[in-house]
């Protein structure tokens, strides 16, 4: 069942969702607020855009950049298209309904200044834990794209010195760094995310630069909830723009 929700805190933006499949999460708000966006950025790509929360948020953080998103699931893509039209963002956001492994049908190599992704977190070996719903399975498990394949795609379509940023599980951080370096994407910025203080990190934001020089910034940790389960003020500032 489709519903229309506010894209929280973002200038009255609306997003079409199906809660039975999945809804956009804090991950999709943190990533566009983490990635480095300078005034010269012209073309941005979101790999696995889902119902397009990241491209819509990126329109509020850039003035002229053209933003593209690719989504393999047709019905999810259609919800994203509906959201884009509802918010009159057709001129800023262009969506593609296809497998990201087929991007060569749409773009030349070295085309994008920035590529972002909130990809599936779980490996195929973890299929015993997967959700029964196909939409959730594809969104959460590496059935259609692996981490290694996704980073290879980012390398191919990034310009020299272009930026790649991703949100992922902290327990895969070493693997992420290894794959990025194998593909000449030098890690430049990391921020660990914690559900609350005195807990282990469960997510990580990481950014790298294609053919960049070594030199890593580890940002201050980001804590999400206080002891009562409420968002901390720093998260409210990001999520609700308070």
């Amino acid at each position: 069942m489709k519903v229309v929700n506010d894209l929280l805190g973002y200038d009255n933006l609306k997003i079409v969702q199906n809660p039975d499949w999945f809804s956009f999460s804090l991950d999709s708000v943190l990533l566009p607020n983490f990635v480095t966006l300078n005034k010269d950025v012209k073309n941005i790509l979101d790999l696995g855009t889902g119902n397009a929360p990241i491209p819509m948020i990126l329109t509020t953080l850039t003035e002229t950049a053209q933003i593209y998103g690719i989504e393999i699931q047709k019905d999810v893509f259609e919800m994203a298209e509906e959201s884009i039209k509802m918010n009159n963002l057709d001129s800023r956001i262009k969506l593609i309904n296809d497998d990201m492994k087929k991007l060569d049908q749409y773009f030349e190599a070295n085309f994008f200044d920035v590529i972002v992704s909130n990809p599936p977190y779980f490996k195929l070996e973890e299929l015993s834990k997967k959700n029964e719903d196909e939409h959730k399975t594809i969104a959460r498990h590496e059935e259609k794209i692996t981490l290694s394949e996704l980073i290879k795609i980012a390398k191919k379509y990034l310009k020299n010195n272009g930026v790649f940023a991703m949100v992922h599980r902290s327990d895969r951080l070493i693997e992420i760094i290894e794959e990025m370096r194998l593909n000449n994407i030098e890690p430049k910025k990391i921020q660990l995310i914690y559900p609350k203080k005195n807990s282990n990190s469960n997510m990580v934001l990481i950014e790298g630069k294609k053919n960049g020089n070594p030199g890593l910034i580890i940002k201050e940790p980001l804590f999400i909830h206080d002891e009562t389960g409420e968002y901390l003020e720093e998260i409210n500032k990001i999520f609700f723009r308070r």
Side-chain angles (χ1 to χ4, degrees), residues 4 15 29 50 68-69 74 86 97 111 168 180 187 201 209 238:
V4 178
I15 187 165
V29 179
Y68 300 86
K74 190 174 192 305
M86 183 183 301
N97 177 211
F111 180 77
H168 215 294
M180 287 174 70
S201 170
K209 182 176 286 190
I238 297 171

Side-chain angles (χ1 to χ4, degrees), residues 86-149:
M86 183 183 301
N87 292 288
N88 298 312
L89 290 171
D90 309 65
S91 64
R92 294 288 314 278
I93 301 173
K94 305 297 181 187
L95 300 178
I96 300 164
N97 177 211
D98 210 338
D99 189 328
M100 66 179 77
K101 297 173 188 173
K102 299 178 182 178
L103 270 172
D104 58 353
Q105 297 178 17
Y106 306 93
F107 303 105
E108 295 180 355
N110 311 308
F111 180 77
F112 290 98
D113 303 287
V114 174
I115 295 178
V116 296
S117 186
N118 180 6
Y121 291 166
F122 301 99
K123 293 185 177 184
L124 284 176
E125 299 92 276
E126 298 171 273
L127 279 175
S128 60
K129 303 176 187 176
K130 75 178 182 179
N131 193 289
E132 292 291 335
D133 182 86
E134 180 185 8
H135 298 90
K136 290 182 179 179
T137 296
I138 291 172
R140 295 174 178 174
H141 297 265
E142 294 182 345
E143 287 200 339
K144 301 294 184 181
I145 192 79
T146 66
L147 176 65
S148 178
E149 290 169 334

Side-chain angles (χ1 to χ4, degrees), residues 37-98:
L37 301 167
N38 62 51
K39 60 181 177 58
D40 298 320
V41 169
K42 294 180 181 178
N43 294 295
I44 303 173
L45 174 63
D46 181 23
L47 294 171
T49 198
N51 54 344
I54 291 174
M56 286 196 287
I57 293 171
L58 285 169
T59 65
T60 73
L61 301 170
T62 60
E63 293 185 7
T64 59
Q66 184 69 57
I67 301 159
Y68 300 86
I70 185 164
E71 172 55 45
I72 194 170
Q73 299 188 77
K74 190 174 192 305
D75 39 14
V76 178
F77 162 82
E78 288 172 350
M79 287 195 300
E81 284 272 84
E82 195 174 340
S83 295
I84 301 310
K85 291 174 182 174
M86 183 183 301
N87 292 288
N88 298 312
L89 290 171
D90 309 65
S91 64
R92 294 288 314 278
I93 301 173
K94 305 297 181 187
L95 300 178
I96 300 164
N97 177 211
D98 210 338

Side-chain angles (χ1 to χ4, degrees), residues 224-242:
I224 305 301
H225 300 106
D226 63 20
E227 293 305 316
T228 69
E230 296 295 320
Y231 286 126
L232 289 166
E233 184 59 27
E234 187 173 0
I235 300 303
N236 279 324
K237 287 177 181 176
I238 297 171
F239 205 21
F240 301 104
R241 292 203 169 179
R242 290 178 182 169

Side-chain angles (χ1 to χ4, degrees), residues 152-170:
K152 283 184 174 69
I153 289 168
K155 174 194 176 182
K156 179 175 179 179
Y157 292 98
L158 270 181
K159 292 180 178 178
N160 191 44
N161 288 317
V163 168
F164 172 61
M166 179 169 55
V167 58
H168 215 294
R169 284 170 50 186
S170 303

Side-chain angles (χ1 to χ4, degrees), residues 187-191 215-219:
K188 300 294 288 182
K189 182 170 65 170
I190 288 174
Q191 187 169 34
L216 176 65
I217 294 172
I218 300 179
K219 297 191 68 178

